[in-house]
Amino acid sequence: MLVLGAGKGQRSSGPSALTTPPGNAKATAAGTVMEAQELGEQVRWLDDALYSLDGLRIRDASVQSASLLSLLELSARPATLAVMKQHGLLPLILETAGTWQFTASPTLKICAALFWAHYCAAVSPPGPGTFALFTRILQESADLGPSGEPGALATLERLASAPHSSASRLPSTLRRDAPALLLQALTERVEDQNDAAAALAWKEGLRCQGGFGIVAQTMLLCVGALTDTSPSEDTVRCLWTLHRSLVLFEAATFACPENAGEACAMQVTSRCTLLAWLVQMVATLASQGLRLGLKKDCMRCAISVLVNLSQNSQAGCEQLLGCGAVGTVLDLITLVVQDGGLDEGLAKGNWDLETWLDELCGCLGLLVNIAEHGPDFRAQLRACASSQDIHAAHAHSGVLQCVLELLKRLHGSTASEPAAPVEISCAPAPEFTSSAPGAKELIVMYASILLGFVVMDDSSLRQHAEEILSDPGLRRPIQSIRLALRFYSGTGALMQENEQNLTALLQSLEAEA
């Protein structure tokens, strides 16, 4: 291997760690002058990379930072990156950096995080030790603050701003934040819709190499920002890190039962599961009233993770029923309907409805997940009450009353010109194709499915629903369920089990009608 200070091209007598000897770059004779030039460039790039790799092994943070910056410069060029991949250098760099201590050198930590982000985008499936460096950086990032040497940070800023880098999609203030660099890169990888195989491989790597646990711990460090009474720049950074951690959990557990099962069983403290902790987060945010921005985005993501963890999962649904999730969800739906502008918003336009579309659909979807599991789960669901219903005297409180109130308002609304948003949220706006249902139709679908499950085992509840909605036979909810089944089946978005449950629900309601 090369020894720093021995001069480029001068090798020591020690064994090489390379899986492919560097001499192989010269094994094929060049047929043309151009080929000879290209081969010469490849050898030079490889020599530069090997020289910097040896610098990583010297126990001096400034030398390690300079060496890793050189490797970052090399890996930023596609041709050089290809040579580094061909000769197995990327996992060697990760393996070496995974043994470092970062507490004394913020610059080294940021360099390592950006290199991990480059590796994440370039390699699939992840190697056996990929998440060792990921974990170490997050473990030593309790301060979550950017700092370091000005000269090196300027170089890092330039590399992070390159269009091919996942860091370029970060707010400029977070491109020097190590947790942000890691979370952005990994989220983009597991969300990659253009390479489903790579996305699945990274989801599995996150689970099998212990990445879930460290991301959960990162969220615990940041959650205090939700109730910070004196917001600062650090508060915003913590909120952003919390949000991206939730987005990562959402993407990693979507359509991946193994990941959802592991996350569902995860303990974040000695007395609290991840699922119960997320319910507490939603309750905290709901008690603050409705607001836009990062807190709303955190709420949306937390609800989506809960939906993923309870999708076709008896254990997840049992946890939801046991930790008070139903009451929290009912409170949030009521809050959106009453305080989210829907009282007037539905009558004057659809902007307010679309603003809270994800939250409403997520809450309704979570309740549907519970109701799908059979009569016993539906009976427990009907017994749950919101905080406003705890002292209610009438028998039709809780879930049934909530969904009936929502459907009444939706069916009585008319459309007009939308209002302008008052604040930009970092969550993407919902996108619909011309054939997809709009915001109102989506919420009506979810609410109708929930209503159907709630009343399907009890004729007296069904009669009550017909009276409240002035809809004998529940014709409108049945029509909405039929449309939902047709749309989601046609797009392939329904799992076989869910399609069978919806079909059985529709047949039951139509038979009674």
Side-chain angles (χ1 to χ4, degrees):
M1 65 183 72
L2 292 174
V3 179
L4 190 68
K8 292 189 179 182
Q10 182 178 343
R11 292 192 173 85
S12 69
S13 58
S16 174
L18 292 175
T19 56
T20 304
N24 280 12
K26 304 176 183 178
T28 304
T32 65
V33 173
M34 183 175 294
E35 288 176 355
Q37 290 175 339
E38 291 177 354
L39 191 57
E41 285 185 338
Q42 292 177 15
V43 172
R44 178 170 56 81
W45 293 335
L46 182 59
D47 196 34
D48 289 343
L50 287 169
Y51 179 79
S52 297
L53 177 59
D54 273 344
L56 301 182
R57 301 187 176 106
I58 294 180
R59 295 183 179 276
D60 183 293
S62 60
V63 174
Q64 291 170 338
S65 294
S67 299
L68 194 50
L69 275 174
S70 297
L71 290 167
L72 279 168
E73 293 272 17
L74 289 170
S75 65
R77 298 194 295 267
T80 317
L81 179 62
V83 172
M84 295 171 70
K85 289 175 65 176
Q86 177 187 351
H87 292 280
L89 295 189
L90 298 184
L92 286 178
I93 297 167
L94 280 193
E95 181 182 349
T96 303
T99 65
W100 292 344
Q101 298 292 329
F102 297 107
T103 51
S105 178
T107 301
L108 187 59
K109 179 172 63 179
I110 300 169
C111 287
L114 186 57
F115 186 86
W116 195 91
H118 283 198
Y119 175 90
C120 186
V123 175
S124 186
T130 296
F131 283 89
L133 178 59
F134 178 88
T135 299
R136 182 173 288 276
I137 292 174
L138 288 180
Q139 283 175 335
E140 298 187 12
S141 293
D143 60 337
L144 296 174
S147 58
E149 303 163 19
L153 290 179
T155 302
L156 285 168
E157 177 68 24
R158 174 173 55 80
L159 292 170
S161 301
H164 69 273
S165 173
S166 59
S168 66
R169 266 83 72 187
L170 287 170
S172 59
T173 55
L174 291 171
R175 291 175 191 166
R176 298 178 179 181
D177 185 76
L181 294 170
L182 298 178
L183 294 169
Q184 180 70 19
L186 185 54
T187 299
E188 288 192 9
R189 205 58 164 125
V190 300
E191 282 186 325
D192 189 354
Q193 298 180 357
N194 297 320
D195 192 345
L200 180 59
W202 279 88
K203 287 182 181 183
E204 292 176 348
L206 178 66
R207 178 183 77 252
C208 297
Q209 296 187 36
F212 268 141
I214 188 61
V215 176
Q217 291 303 311
T218 300
M219 290 195 293
L220 283 175
L221 289 174
C222 299
V223 73
L226 294 176
T227 53
D228 192 345
T229 56
S230 302
S232 64
E233 184 177 339
D234 285 340
T235 305
V236 176
R237 186 180 297 110
C238 284
L239 283 174
W240 193 94
T241 302
L242 175 61
H243 174 247
R244 294 313 297 179
S245 299
L246 288 166
V247 170
L248 177 57
F249 259 97
E250 178 186 3
T253 56
F254 177 74
C256 188
E258 297 82 5
N259 281 12
E262 169 129 341
C264 187
M266 184 181 295
Q267 296 279 142
V268 292
T269 68
S270 60
R271 298 183 178 182
C272 187
T273 64
L274 173 68
L275 189 149
W277 184 77
L278 290 171
V279 171
Q280 291 175 12
M281 182 192 300
V282 174
T284 298
L285 289 166
S287 67
Q288 296 175 15
L290 298 180
R291 59 184 67 190
L292 303 182
L294 277 171
K295 291 187 177 182
K296 176 182 181 295
D297 297 336
C298 287
M299 177 188 286
R300 184 204 67 78
C301 288
I303 294 170
S304 295
V305 175
L306 289 171
V307 171
N308 291 348
L309 301 192
S310 59
Q311 180 77 26
N312 299 326
S313 169
Q314 180 172 331
C317 291
E318 287 174 347
Q319 278 199 59
L320 289 175
L321 288 168
C323 70
V326 176
T328 297
V329 166
L330 294 178
D331 286 343
L332 180 56
I333 294 174
T334 301
L335 189 65
V336 172
V337 170
Q338 293 181 351
D339 300 336
L342 299 197
D343 273 340
E344 294 123 8
L346 286 176
K348 69 183 181 184
N350 280 339
W351 179 78
D352 291 299
L353 186 61
E354 291 183 356
T355 300
W356 298 99
L357 170 67
D358 290 338
E359 288 77 10
L360 282 172
C361 287
C363 288
L364 293 168
L366 189 147
L367 297 175
V368 168
N369 284 350
I370 298 173
E372 274 193 273
H373 274 284
D376 290 343
F377 280 86
R378 289 193 282 274
Q380 293 182 68
L381 183 65
R382 287 192 291 265
C384 296
S386 68
S387 60
Q388 297 183 12
D389 291 324
I390 290 177
H391 304 293
H394 55 82
H396 303 299
S397 58
V399 175
L400 180 59
Q401 190 66 21
C402 180
V403 72
L404 288 174
E405 184 66 24
L406 180 59
L407 282 171
K408 280 177 61 180
R409 294 170 187 263
L410 289 166
H411 287 316
S413 68
T414 57
S416 63
E417 291 295 321
V422 297
E423 182 178 340
I424 296 177
S425 164
C426 72
E431 296 181 2
F432 303 108
T433 64
S434 58
S435 59
K440 175 182 173 180
E441 288 74 22
L442 277 172
I443 298 174
V444 168
M445 283 181 181
Y446 277 100
S448 298
I449 293 169
L450 177 59
L451 174 63
F453 277 122
V454 169
V455 304
M456 73 179 297
D457 307 312
D458 192 319
S459 58
S460 65
L461 293 181
R462 175 170 179 147
Q463 182 179 356
H464 175 73
E466 292 174 353
E467 293 172 355
I468 295 296
L469 296 177
S470 302
D471 185 6
L474 297 180
R475 291 168 296 179
R476 284 185 294 188
I478 287 175
Q479 176 66 10
S480 293
I481 296 170
R482 188 181 296 117
L483 290 173
L485 184 59
R486 183 186 309 158
F487 174 73
Y488 287 114
S489 298
T491 58
L494 279 180
M495 294 184 182
Q496 184 177 4
E497 181 179 350
N498 303 116
E499 185 172 354
Q500 291 172 348
N501 290 339
L502 273 184
T503 301
L505 170 64
L506 185 60
Q507 291 172 347
S508 171
L509 294 175
E510 289 177 333
E512 292 188 26

